[in-house]
Amino acid sequence: MQMPTPDATILARKDQIVKRLQAVLPDGAVVHDPFETRAYECDALTAYKCPPLCAVLPASTAEVSAVMRVCHEEGVPVVPRGAGTSLAGGALPTADSVILGVARLNDVLETDFANRIIRVQSGRTNLSVTGAVEEEGFFYAPDPSSQLACAIAGNIAMNSGGAHCLKYGVTTNNLMGVTMVMADGEVVEIGGAHLDAGGLDLLGLICGSEGQLGIVTEATLRILAKPEGARPVLVGFDSNEVAGACVSDIIKSGILPVAIEFMDRPCIRATEAFAGAGYPDCEALLIIEVEGSDAEIDDQLSRITKIARAHNPVELRESTSAEESAKIWLGRKSAFGAMGQINDYMCLDGTIPVSELPLVLRRIGEMSKDYGLDVGNVFHAGDGNMHPLILFDANKPGDLEKCEAFGADILKLCVEVGGCLTGEHGVGVEKRDLMVSQYNQSDLEIQLAVKDVFDPNWLLNPAKVFPLSSTETRRAS
Amino acid sequence: MQMPTPDATILARKDQIVKRLQAVLPDGAVVHDPFETRAYECDALTAYKCPPLCAVLPASTAEVSAVMRVCHEEGVPVVPRGAGTSLAGGALPTADSVILGVARLNDVLETDFANRIIRVQSGRTNLSVTGAVEEEGFFYAPDPSSQLACAIAGNIAMNSGGAHCLKYGVTTNNLMGVTMVMADGEVVEIGGAHLDAGGLDLLGLICGSEGQLGIVTEATLRILAKPEGARPVLVGFDSNEVAGACVSDIIKSGILPVAIEFMDRPCIRATEAFAGAGYPDCEALLIIEVEGSDAEIDDQLSRITKIARAHNPVELRESTSAEESAKIWLGRKSAFGAMGQINDYMCLDGTIPVSELPLVLRRIGEMSKDYGLDVGNVFHAGDGNMHPLILFDANKPGDLEKCEAFGADILKLCVEVGGCLTGEHGVGVEKRDLMVSQYNQSDLEIQLAVKDVFDPNWLLNPAKVFPLSSTETRRAS
């Protein structure tokens, strides 16, 4: 992974920059000891590492603003960091950058049940947003797998989704407004406790912008009433194609389950060995969950199982108790861990039209043979968001590179069939150079020019999202 | 309404410009006779009129591209026009502009039930999108009151909503991708039949951008399965405050009806006299509709009527047949026409947090007395989208100006209580000068700078959305 050459003049001014940051923050909020800054050298894409110049941990919008003013005046790049759970290297530092961690921005500022909103500081973890409203019967819908750890700031940066986003949408569908600190320290409010305002939709632009446009410090989020109940059904098939066709038929019928999860044989086997969830040993497995009152659940599941039976499943197991439901989900939730037990793996994230599932799964199988690397597929099939896990051996020379090439081929295939490079993990450094397979030069120029408006000196989250060549030219100019 | 001074050099070159446009379009697709161009002199905000230089009616993306190339080379402003149903003057021409009407772009390009999408040309009317999929049991959710006439192009430009958007979201929540012709004629694809792609969310930026960034010629839209059934309940109250509190309590309980419509006494009386829907003569009336299977409907309505009864309604009428349902909706759907029978009216569009309904309705009542102009309120109460109708006499000197001042005060009040200037009609020319009450100069500068990226010569839909002073400076530079 090529990263930009650090700016030697910044490295030389480290002491001065640290001193200026310390002057605007409370004691202990600037981490600059080279041993301690190693805690920030990578995120969940651990293949790439680089300790930052220093890290700051502000606890308020005013403190974030003060940090940004200093960095703006000193011309120092800033890498915003949520909880560091990015699988795309979205928070990877450069040696000349300041990591701006939002971990201390974790307060609930307001809950307003009459308007179904909650306002939180952006460092608050996803699950603790629900924690703040669940006693009143509400929840925050987007549910990334990392929801126990990941921060709302990162969810907004990556427009994160999760297993239940088929029904409830991703972050952008649940975000009402933000308080954002601009590159020069100015504080702006965008959106709020109301519908779409007039003028250009800057909130939509900011959601998913991966820290390229500003630092979100507070967020107004939509909360929803908890459904009365939920129930999964597990369906096993003897081919990926048939399972894919079953997903297509369910979506086509107009039923909207809250989740349709898909696992293929390599994943099922690994999971079963690891978690013993009692999954059948078959080619492909769907977990379909519906929500509502008992009557609604019965009605939806009867229509879903009717469609599934038409595809000759080798197993069809409707949960009849909370214990059975938990067991059905146990395997799915252990899948990543289970694959990690077998070998190192790279988790991809691409999106395709649901109807292309059978074709894409077949092509991935063929590529797996060509590359000689195993791949397991576990993904949110209802909305076409795939997470192929490619297994490789990090200690075997050349294996990582082979894995990266295989991953790139899969993502290019996603684009080819009418999908895109990412569903919920974002581009980060991981997919930056693949952006040219989705966008032509003039598409990219427009995006770069919009970035220019918000961050004219290109100091925000360097070397991410856009091909390195474009950003290097930009920053130099 | 102040409009920019037309560019005399463009007026002088009219023949040459018309000739060049005729050269790239089929016979009859360029309307330039001064008598015929009057058909395009205004949209549904008929208080303001100005015939354009000429109008073009292209029938394909390639023809739109050819038109834009000519206009780009000639430096002629272009005003995109859907069906001309804008209540905010979003398609008001300037004398030196070419009206680009999308009426001939009305084909269905693709229906794809497996992926729940339809791809249409942008001039297709909203209702005929549903028409193309309803036999298979699907529909397109956003339902502006003008849905029989209004075009998808205009829906995208204004991020249009409708009575049923409380449940299904507005246009931006149902738009998957667009084909757009840029100011210089280049054709780009943004989004598509997949979830959010990487990089900046340009699709979100374009939706609601009121023709400021490009000409959308094709759109990929999300379609949904039709619910099994729907049923409204009508509830009358003896005060606006209590009706408002009832709406708040329903939303707070977490129930999500498909629509909550609100009418106040002036509206109820006018409607009753006009349509004879059998409404009770009370201060405020709610129409609450829920959807689903019979069991779901029964369950939701029993919870809603329980909440409503706690507010001592003067009338509570649950529909028991399709005829009764139609009659309940008849009044609401006739409300605008009914008010128009009494007098000229101006229909406003502002949004507030639902919990502020009682306060805002009281303040509007007070202002009505101060201005000496009657006002009727009919609106989408569930999501706080208000449509106050101010009655005035167009033949009485000074009445229109008084009405405009009253309207501006109401919209400023919406912003004050945490809402915004528009819910679904957009800014257009109508609310352009009010943008400064929602945004400060630096907020606006960011929006203008983003517009610069897409339309550096400021030729797209002039004099809309932004305060005239900002755009004049921009265009001159």
Side-chain angles (χ1 to χ4, degrees):
Chain A
M1 181 56 56
Q2 202 200 334
M3 289 298 277
T5 318
D7 182 333
T9 70
I10 294 176
L11 302 182
R13 281 181 293 129
K14 173 171 173 179
D15 288 350
Q16 172 195 332
I17 293 162
V18 165
K19 212 165 282 173
R20 287 199 62 186
L21 291 169
Q22 283 171 329
V24 298
L25 290 175
D27 281 357
V30 182
V31 179
H32 57 92
D33 179 277
F35 182 77
E36 290 177 20
T37 55
R38 287 193 44 200
Y40 301 95
E41 70 183 4
C42 70
D43 53 25
L45 185 67
T46 54
Y48 313 119
K49 292 182 181 167
C50 172
L53 189 72
C54 66
V56 294
L57 300 167
S60 68
T61 299
E63 287 181 10
V64 172
S65 170
V67 166
M68 295 310 290
R69 270 199 303 276
V70 169
C71 292
H72 176 69
E73 286 165 20
E74 296 283 347
V76 186
V78 175
V79 174
R81 180 184 170 100
T85 56
S86 172
L87 287 162
L92 180 66
T94 54
D96 56 4
S97 67
V98 172
I99 284 278
L100 194 161
V102 294
R104 291 187 182 173
L105 287 155
N106 58 8
D107 284 342
V108 172
L109 302 170
E110 187 188 356
T111 51
D112 179 350
F113 298 106
N115 292 309
R116 289 195 296 137
I117 53 173
I118 183 171
R119 205 157 57 80
V120 297
Q121 286 188 305
S122 68
R124 194 165 180 91
T125 63
N126 176 294
L127 200 58
S128 71
V129 172
T130 291
V133 297
E134 65 187 348
E135 277 197 16
E136 301 279 335
F138 285 83
F139 74 111
Y140 175 63
D143 60 339
S145 298
S146 57
Q147 65 178 150
L148 189 66
C150 66
I152 291 297
N155 292 181
I156 294 170
M158 295 317 200
N159 190 17
S160 302
H164 291 72
C165 288
L166 174 57
K167 179 163 180 183
Y168 296 115
V170 291
T171 301
T172 195
N173 306 111
N174 294 277
L175 178 68
M176 306 282 293
V178 295
T179 299
M180 185 168 90
V181 179
M182 306 287 285
D184 63 358
E186 193 195 356
V187 177
V188 299
E189 299 286 335
I190 298 174
H194 52 68
L195 287 182
D196 186 38
L200 300 179
D201 178 18
L202 300 184
L203 184 64
L205 185 67
I206 284 153
C207 191
S209 63
E210 307 201 10
Q212 294 294 316
L213 306 182
I215 314 288
V216 170
T217 57
E218 298 174 13
T220 303
L221 307 170
R222 170 76 73 202
I223 51 176
L224 300 171
K226 278 201 173 178
E228 287 176 62
R231 199 189 308 155
V233 57
L234 180 154
V235 198
F237 295 95
D238 59 11
S239 93
N240 284 335
E241 279 81 358
V242 175
C246 180
V247 172
S248 270
D249 284 352
I250 291 169
I251 297 294
K252 191 171 165 177
S253 78
I255 308 168
L256 196 59
V258 69
I260 305 183
E261 298 289 297
F262 185 122
M263 292 168 71
D264 69 358
R265 187 187 283 274
C267 240
I268 298 168
R269 289 211 167 146
T271 299
E272 202 44 35
F274 180 70
Y279 286 174
D281 186 28
C282 56
E283 280 302 314
L285 184 151
L286 300 178
I287 299 172
I288 305 159
E289 181 157 272
V290 300
E291 278 184 354
S293 64
D294 274 343
E296 281 177 85
I297 289 175
D298 287 343
D299 173 59
Q300 293 180 73
L301 281 187
S302 77
R303 289 153 67 200
I304 288 169
T305 51
K306 193 175 160 199
I307 293 170
R309 282 189 211 287
H311 289 87
N312 302 314
V314 296
E315 172 119 14
L316 195 156
R317 193 188 305 166
E318 194 175 324
S319 166
T320 57
S321 66
E323 292 67 41
E324 261 189 281
S325 297
K327 209 170 171 197
I328 287 177
W329 276 109
L330 172 70
R332 168 62 185 87
K333 289 187 177 164
S334 316
F336 283 34
M339 296 293 280
Q341 291 280 309
I342 305 181
N343 221 329
D344 302 301
Y345 70 82
M346 179 172 277
C347 172
L348 300 179
D349 167 54
T351 305
I352 56 169
V354 176
S355 59
E356 302 291 340
L357 273 178
L359 167 74
V360 170
L361 288 172
R362 195 174 63 241
R363 289 282 299 121
I364 290 177
E366 289 162 8
M367 286 192 243
S368 167
K369 281 186 200 126
D370 293 347
Y371 276 100
L373 290 177
D374 285 332
V375 58
N377 282 291
V378 46
F379 56 92
H380 314 314
D383 49 17
N385 185 192
M386 314 188 68
H387 293 308
L389 302 175
I390 306 176
L391 298 176
F392 70 102
D393 181 349
N395 295 318
K396 194 169 152 191
D399 235 30
L400 172 64
E401 292 69 24
K402 208 155 68 165
C403 173
E404 287 177 337
F406 183 8
D409 279 352
I410 292 177
L411 294 173
K412 284 181 200 159
L413 173 65
C414 290
V415 173
E416 256 173 57
V417 301
C420 60
L421 291 174
T422 168
E424 54 190 14
H425 296 181
V427 177
V429 292
E430 184 204 6
K431 285 176 266 194
R432 160 188 96 175
D433 296 317
L434 287 172
M435 287 286 274
V436 295
S437 63
Q438 178 129 40
Y439 300 106
N440 66 26
Q441 198 51 41
S442 103
D443 294 338
L444 281 172
E445 277 300 325
I446 291 279
Q447 298 201 31
L448 298 171
V450 171
K451 157 95 168 161
D452 284 340
V453 171
F454 286 79
D455 181 21
N457 303 323
W458 281 70
L459 294 177
L460 287 173
N461 211 7
K464 315 283 159 49
V465 184
F466 305 108
L468 200 54
S469 53
S470 344
T471 61
E472 285 290 84
T473 334
R474 221 84 183 179
R475 211 184 140 195
S477 72
Chain B
M1 180 58 56
Q2 202 200 332
M3 289 298 277
T5 318
D7 182 333
T9 70
I10 294 176
L11 303 181
R13 280 181 293 130
K14 173 172 174 178
D15 288 351
Q16 172 194 331
I17 293 162
V18 165
K19 210 164 285 173
R20 288 199 62 187
L21 290 169
Q22 284 170 328
V24 297
L25 290 175
D27 281 356
V30 181
V31 179
H32 56 93
D33 180 277
F35 183 78
E36 290 177 19
T37 55
R38 287 196 39 202
Y40 301 94
E41 69 183 4
C42 69
D43 53 27
L45 184 69
T46 54
Y48 313 118
K49 292 181 182 170
C50 172
L53 189 75
C54 67
V56 294
L57 299 167
S60 67
T61 299
E63 287 182 10
V64 172
S65 170
V67 167
M68 294 309 291
R69 270 198 304 275
V70 169
C71 293
H72 175 70
E73 286 164 21
E74 295 283 348
V76 186
V78 175
V79 175
R81 180 183 170 100
T85 55
S86 172
L87 288 162
L92 180 68
T94 54
D96 57 4
S97 67
V98 172
I99 284 279
L100 192 160
V102 294
R104 290 186 184 174
L105 287 154
N106 57 7
D107 284 342
V108 171
L109 303 170
E110 186 189 356
T111 50
D112 179 349
F113 298 106
N115 292 310
R116 288 194 297 135
I117 54 175
I118 183 170
R119 205 157 58 81
V120 298
Q121 285 187 306
S122 67
R124 192 163 181 93
T125 63
N126 175 294
L127 201 58
S128 72
V129 173
T130 290
V133 297
E134 64 188 349
E135 278 197 14
E136 299 280 335
F138 286 83
F139 74 111
Y140 175 62
D143 60 338
S145 298
S146 58
Q147 66 179 147
L148 189 66
C150 66
I152 292 296
N155 292 181
I156 294 170
M158 296 316 200
N159 190 18
S160 301
H164 292 71
C165 289
L166 174 57
K167 180 164 179 183
Y168 296 116
V170 292
T171 302
T172 195
N173 306 111
N174 295 276
L175 178 68
M176 307 282 293
V178 296
T179 299
M180 186 168 91
V181 179
M182 306 287 285
D184 63 358
E186 191 195 357
V187 177
V188 298
E189 299 286 337
I190 298 174
H194 52 66
L195 287 182
D196 185 39
L200 299 180
D201 177 18
L202 299 183
L203 184 63
L205 185 68
I206 283 152
C207 190
S209 64
E210 306 200 12
Q212 295 294 315
L213 306 183
I215 314 288
V216 170
T217 57
E218 298 174 13
T220 303
L221 307 170
R222 169 74 73 201
I223 51 176
L224 299 172
K226 279 202 174 177
E228 285 175 62
R231 199 189 308 155
V233 57
L234 179 155
V235 198
F237 295 95
D238 58 13
S239 94
N240 284 335
E241 279 82 357
V242 175
C246 180
V247 172
S248 269
D249 284 353
I250 292 169
I251 297 294
K252 192 171 164 178
S253 78
I255 308 168
L256 196 60
V258 69
I260 304 183
E261 297 290 296
F262 185 121
M263 294 169 71
D264 68 0
R265 188 188 282 275
C267 238
I268 298 167
R269 289 211 166 144
T271 300
E272 202 44 37
F274 181 71
Y279 285 175
D281 186 27
C282 56
E283 281 300 315
L285 186 151
L286 299 179
I287 300 171
I288 306 158
E289 183 157 272
V290 299
E291 280 184 354
S293 64
D294 275 341
E296 280 177 85
I297 289 176
D298 288 342
D299 172 59
Q300 292 180 74
L301 281 187
S302 77
R303 288 154 68 199
I304 287 168
T305 52
K306 193 174 160 200
I307 292 169
R309 282 190 210 287
H311 290 87
N312 302 312
V314 297
E315 171 119 13
L316 194 155
R317 196 187 302 165
E318 194 174 323
S319 164
T320 56
S321 67
E323 291 68 39
E324 262 189 278
S325 297
K327 209 168 171 199
I328 287 177
W329 276 109
L330 172 68
R332 168 62 185 87
K333 288 187 176 163
S334 315
F336 283 32
M339 296 292 282
Q341 290 280 310
I342 306 182
N343 221 329
D344 302 302
Y345 70 82
M346 178 171 278
C347 172
L348 300 179
D349 167 53
T351 305
I352 57 170
V354 176
S355 58
E356 302 291 338
L357 273 179
L359 167 74
V360 171
L361 288 171
R362 195 174 64 239
R363 289 281 300 121
I364 290 178
E366 290 161 7
M367 286 192 243
S368 168
K369 281 185 199 128
D370 293 347
Y371 276 101
L373 291 176
D374 285 333
V375 57
N377 282 291
V378 46
F379 56 93
H380 314 314
D383 50 17
N385 185 192
M386 313 189 68
H387 292 309
L389 301 174
I390 306 176
L391 298 177
F392 70 102
D393 182 348
N395 295 319
K396 192 168 153 194
D399 235 30
L400 173 63
E401 292 69 22
K402 209 156 67 167
C403 173
E404 287 177 336
F406 183 8
D409 279 351
I410 292 176
L411 294 174
K412 284 180 200 160
L413 174 64
C414 290
V415 173
E416 257 171 56
V417 302
C420 61
L421 291 174
T422 170
E424 56 192 14
H425 296 181
V427 177
V429 291
E430 184 204 8
K431 284 175 269 194
R432 165 186 92 175
D433 297 316
L434 287 173
M435 287 285 274
V436 294
S437 62
Q438 178 130 41
Y439 299 106
N440 67 27
Q441 199 48 43
S442 103
D443 294 338
L444 281 171
E445 277 301 324
I446 291 279
Q447 297 200 31
L448 297 169
V450 172
K451 157 98 167 157
D452 284 339
V453 171
F454 287 79
D455 180 21
N457 303 324
W458 280 70
L459 294 176
L460 287 172
N461 210 7
K464 315 284 158 50
V465 185
F466 305 109
L468 200 54
S469 52
S470 345
T471 61
E472 285 292 83
T473 335
R474 220 86 184 178
R475 210 182 142 196
S477 72

